[in-house]
DNA sequence: ATGAAAGCGCTAACAA
DNA sequence: TTGTTAGCGCTTTCAT
């Protein structure tokens, strides 16, 4: 293994000079810089991560904690993770992947060992068990998702309240009066993950203002569960002409069932989805939807973390503005 | 920050004793062990990862490289990644997540810096650019997927040849003679990822032996692409009664299109999928399928890596045996 | 069964 | 602009 000392000897300079050439933390005459850089090339030198971490108390690693509930929509998690990893690299950081298994104790392990300089927590619940430990650890951290108590925390999330409002507005604008909301699986609500409830809040508030009638029904994914949910909805509100779906695994079943019932989309009923764009585009009817900006969330989370590590920290909540894309699943309410 | 030296002082022993209590590398009287363990508790000591890595030349980190092609079925990748992370933890390792962006240079960075003790490469192509570097680095590594040249490498993968054969046998056993194979997107074949071709190979060989007529058509996912593919298939082989699908995003479109054409599943045509179990179960018709054992692949990859790191290394290929689960999408060929 | 002490390879004062 | 040097916190050999 090639060490910094060897590079120094080879270049005829001191160790610190090599170190400073690498870090750029002090000015070096271009002559020596060149010699050092050549030596680095010639010898194939790579700084040792452990030694660096020890000497500088910086690991250049960001820990990413992703809980793994079976009811989460996986591709979104994945997209966020990938965005985090690639964005982190552009800032010189690597990403340590922590899964849910360890839960809160992973926070201790990572912060305690100095294994990572900061953490990003995904899928944060309203009352997340990891938060107390996180706070007391004092580690720079950014949450993706919004807990109940955000004082002193930095969070990034889609503005789900605005998302709900946007859906309501779109349907109202098309003349729909009776709207059914097909929400996430009941388990999601029981866990108080927050985003489902916030969408609903936005939907309700705006619906009231726009004089819409709203019926909310959580639903598991899959055909059978959805068939039952749909039957209930039309039973209670036969005049329903607008749907808002926030459950990726309910999208296709919903479309299939409507079709089977002879209800044409968008002629008879309109459907707005809250889902990743690929899902909306690949569906059997191209869906009008509010996208989940997974990449953007991952990117912003990293940028906040890096800002903190660089000193110009910015506590607070960043809510990404929702964007509704009109596709083929919404149209004027039937007369 | 609490250091090992502080623990030693607090417990009234030497630093090395504390270290040995931690590592168990030499016998300690239970009296002192107890005192040390109490001190560790009392002070809330956590070994510093960087110092450890430096002193021991071991990072206790496994790097996981996942390329990120948009045409890969993401949930499988994710499931593998999660299985890798959790299995690694049970062996005392953490996982560093490397994405495709950096490609081969990440291999250099990680091996050079001693950041990780070993690597796991996902989604290995037949002629993967990362392999030359990997070989010359001499780093312990395990591939998930099968490259063309496997000498000196350790690989884990589903036995796709056997998978293809299994599908052929199942359909043949039900009396089907004309089988259509809806494969991955053309891009997948162009990239020579291997698994698609291997499935086909197994399918072809067994089909020949069983006297089946086979028609293979790659297809992008989504309704439009699949509608075109399906039309071509029935055009060329009107008598087709059996389908093998190896493309998750083609599954639902296929079922929908068959339904729309008035072809009942499984009365008129049978469908066997090669896909993760959740996809097979959630589909609008519960699919007879060969599962992609993502978890198992991740687990085995880690176990191989750990074995190598522990000295009892085991080079070679491990092909996981496919399992076909009969569900509601296959039945006897129509008379 | 335990201790003393020499590094591991790097960073960052402190000097010049 | 460059060099000297004292650690960073741990592991591990060598003693005892």
């Amino acid at each position: 293994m090639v060490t910094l000392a060897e590079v120094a000897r080879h270049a005829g300079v001191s160790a610190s000079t090599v170190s400073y050439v690498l870090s750029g933390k002090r000015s070096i005459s271009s002559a020596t810089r060149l010699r050092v850089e050549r030596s680095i090339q010639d010898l194939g030198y790579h700084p040792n991560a452990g030694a660096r971490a020890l000497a500088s108390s910086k690991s250049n690693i960001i820990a990413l904690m992703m809980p793994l509930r079976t009811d989460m929509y996986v591709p979104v998690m994945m997209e966020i993770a990938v965005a985090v990893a690639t964005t982190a690299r552009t800032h010189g950081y690597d990403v340590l992947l922590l899964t849910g298994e360890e839960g809160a104790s992973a926070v201790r392990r990572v912060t305690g060992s100095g294994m990572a300089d900061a953490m990003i927590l995904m899928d944060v619940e309203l009352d997340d068990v990891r938060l107390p430990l996180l706070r007391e650890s004092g580690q720079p951290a950014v949450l993706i998702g919004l807990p109940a108590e955000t004082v002193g925390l930095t969070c990034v999330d889609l503005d789900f309240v605005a998302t709900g409002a946007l859906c309501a507005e779109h349907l109202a604008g098309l003349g729909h009066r009776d709207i059914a909301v097909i929400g996430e699986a009941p388990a999601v609500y029981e866990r108080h993950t927050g985003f489902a409830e916030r969408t609903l809040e936005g939907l309700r508030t705006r619906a009231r203002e726009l004089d819409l009638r709203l019926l909310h029904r959580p639903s598991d994914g899959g055909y059978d569960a959805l068939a039952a949910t749909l039957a209930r909805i039309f039973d209670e509100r036969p005049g329903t002409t607008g749907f808002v779906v926030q459950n990726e695994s309910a999208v296709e079943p919903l479309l299939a069932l409507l079709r089977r019932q002879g209800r044409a989309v968008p002629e008879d009923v309109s459907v707005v989805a809250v889902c990743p764009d690929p899902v909306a585009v690949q569906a059997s009817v191209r869906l009008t939807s509010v996208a989940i900006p997974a990449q953007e969330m991952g990117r912003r989370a990293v940028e906040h973390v890096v800002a903190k590590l660089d000193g110009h920290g910015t506590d607070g909540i960043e809510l990404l503005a929702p964007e509704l894309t009109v596709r083929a699943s919404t149209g004027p309410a039937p007369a």
Side-chain angles (χ1 to χ4, degrees), chain A:
Chain A
M1 187 206 199
V2 186
T3 69
L4 182 146
E6 303 183 69
V7 173
R9 195 171 328 123
H10 185 273
V13 300
S14 75
S16 59
T17 297
V18 177
S19 176
Y20 284 119
V21 165
L22 253 25
S23 68
K25 284 185 181 171
R26 79 179 183 191
S27 45
I28 306 278
S29 73
S30 49
T32 48
R33 156 172 297 116
L34 233 58
R35 282 221 313 293
V36 170
E37 280 165 350
R38 271 221 52 168
S39 297
I40 289 178
Q41 285 298 325
D42 291 0
L43 303 180
Y45 168 72
H46 282 276
N48 180 82
R52 260 203 174 156
L54 178 56
S56 66
S57 307
K58 291 209 50 201
S59 62
N60 282 300
I61 286 182
I62 295 171
L64 177 66
M65 281 195 68
M66 51 157 77
L68 287 147
R69 318 227 180 64
T70 46
D71 52 4
M72 294 305 307
Y73 188 61
V74 179
V76 173
M77 298 280 124
M78 183 80 170
E79 207 178 330
I80 294 178
V82 170
V84 166
T86 57
T87 309
R89 280 305 306 144
T90 73
H91 292 274
Y93 289 88
D94 272 288
V95 169
L96 199 71
L97 181 66
L98 306 176
T99 61
E101 303 290 272
E102 288 192 279
S105 79
V107 173
R108 234 195 235 93
R109 205 166 53 78
V110 168
T111 64
S113 66
M115 197 163 233
D117 298 332
M119 309 195 64
I120 294 177
L121 305 198
M122 294 175 62
D123 194 19
V124 173
E125 300 181 17
L126 277 185
D127 189 25
D128 201 294
V129 288
R130 297 168 295 181
L131 295 187
L133 263 176
L134 227 217
R135 287 176 199 276
E136 84 186 38
S137 81
Q139 249 220 346
V142 171
L143 317 189
I144 297 182
L146 223 46
E149 183 50 67
T150 62
V151 188
L153 297 177
T154 303
C155 310
V156 173
D157 206 353
L158 174 61
D159 188 337
F160 282 100
V161 174
T163 298
L166 202 51
C167 294
E169 281 161 27
H170 178 67
L171 290 173
L174 289 168
H176 298 272
R177 320 286 352 144
D178 269 296
I179 311 293
V181 182
I182 297 182
E184 297 280 357
V188 174
Y189 290 93
E190 279 152 24
R191 217 173 53 225
H192 297 298
T193 311
F195 71 92
E197 286 160 2
R198 287 188 281 131
T199 307
L200 200 55
E201 180 193 331
L203 230 18
R204 287 210 170 109
T205 306
R206 205 82 188 83
R208 201 171 309 121
E209 293 165 6
L210 296 169
D211 213 34
L212 300 176
R213 304 219 309 150
L214 210 63
L215 184 66
H216 171 240
R217 291 289 170 262
S219 179
D220 284 307
Y223 285 79
D224 300 343
L226 202 73
T229 306
L230 201 57
R232 283 180 59 201
I233 290 172
F234 280 121
D235 197 41
E236 297 181 52
R237 299 272 173 85
T240 299
T241 61
F243 282 89
V244 176
V245 209
Q246 180 171 205
N247 180 343
E248 289 76 6
S249 54
V251 163
E252 206 49 55
L254 173 64
L255 294 175
L257 288 164
L258 290 173
R259 203 153 38 221
R260 206 172 293 176
Q261 296 178 2
R263 303 183 200 258
V265 173
E267 291 78 3
D268 302 325
V269 302
S270 287
V271 176
V272 179
V274 179
C275 68
D277 269 340
V279 172
V281 172
Q282 290 232 347
S284 53
V285 177
R286 299 183 70 252
L287 295 170
T288 295
S289 72
V290 175
I292 310 272
Q295 293 214 163
E296 182 72 3
M297 287 159 100
R299 244 195 19 161
R300 294 300 297 147
V302 170
E303 282 163 359
H304 278 120
V305 155
V306 171
K308 285 195 177 194
L309 291 174
D310 288 353
H312 42 277
T314 37
D315 260 20
I317 319 282
E318 177 174 21
L319 259 20
L320 304 178
E323 286 180 28
L324 186 145
T325 304
V326 179
R327 298 201 182 81
S329 68
T330 51

